[in-house]
Amino acid sequence: LDPSVPTVMGKFVWWGDPVRREGKNAELVYKKGDYPKYATGSYGHVVSRPIAAFVTQNQQTLKEYQGEDTSLGIWLKEQKSLTEPVKWVLAADQQGVTEWRLRK
């Protein structure tokens, strides 16, 4: 992977996860009905330098949404400052990356 390309690596919710308006994970700020693509926070995710720099440089103006995982997905969908499209890489597809699963 090229570290200069805006990249998010992890496990993703790819298609329009409905925004929950009630309960423990209620989203009260994001007004759309479905979330954009985002990395599932409970599995962990990695971002490249351009994405880390984008978040750092814009931290004062980025809205805080329900969770860090959905927030990052929303920020990346709505941003206009990255010079290249974001590359979404499924971690389990990368050589040398092991997917850990909880065992009963």
Side-chain angles (χ1 to χ4, degrees), residues 33 70 84 93 96 101:
T70 54
E84 297 180 53
D93 290 344
R101 296 176 189 215

Side-chain angles (χ1 to χ4, degrees), residues 19-29 35 65-66:
V19 175
R20 292 160 194 83
R21 303 291 180 197
E22 297 177 357
K24 176 184 162 205
N25 295 321
E27 173 60 68
L28 305 175
V29 178
Y35 286 114
Y65 297 101
Q66 184 276 326

Side-chain angles (χ1 to χ4, degrees), residues 25-55:
N25 295 321
E27 173 60 68
L28 305 175
V29 178
Y30 189 64
K31 298 304 179 196
K32 295 185 180 176
D34 294 323
Y35 286 114
K37 182 185 326 179
Y38 66 90
T40 308
S42 58
Y43 284 89
H45 50 277
V46 177
V47 298
S48 64
R49 184 176 299 271
I51 293 179
F54 163 77
V55 172

Side-chain angles (χ1 to χ4, degrees), residues 8-9 12 15 22 24 26 30 34 42 51 54 67 69 74 78-79 81-82 86 93 100:
V8 179
M9 184 167 64
F12 305 106
W15 292 278
E22 297 177 357
K24 176 184 162 205
Y30 189 64
D34 294 323
S42 58
I51 293 179
F54 163 77
D69 49 2
I74 295 165
E78 296 178 350
Q79 65 78 31
S81 62
L82 292 172
V86 175
D93 290 344
W100 292 91

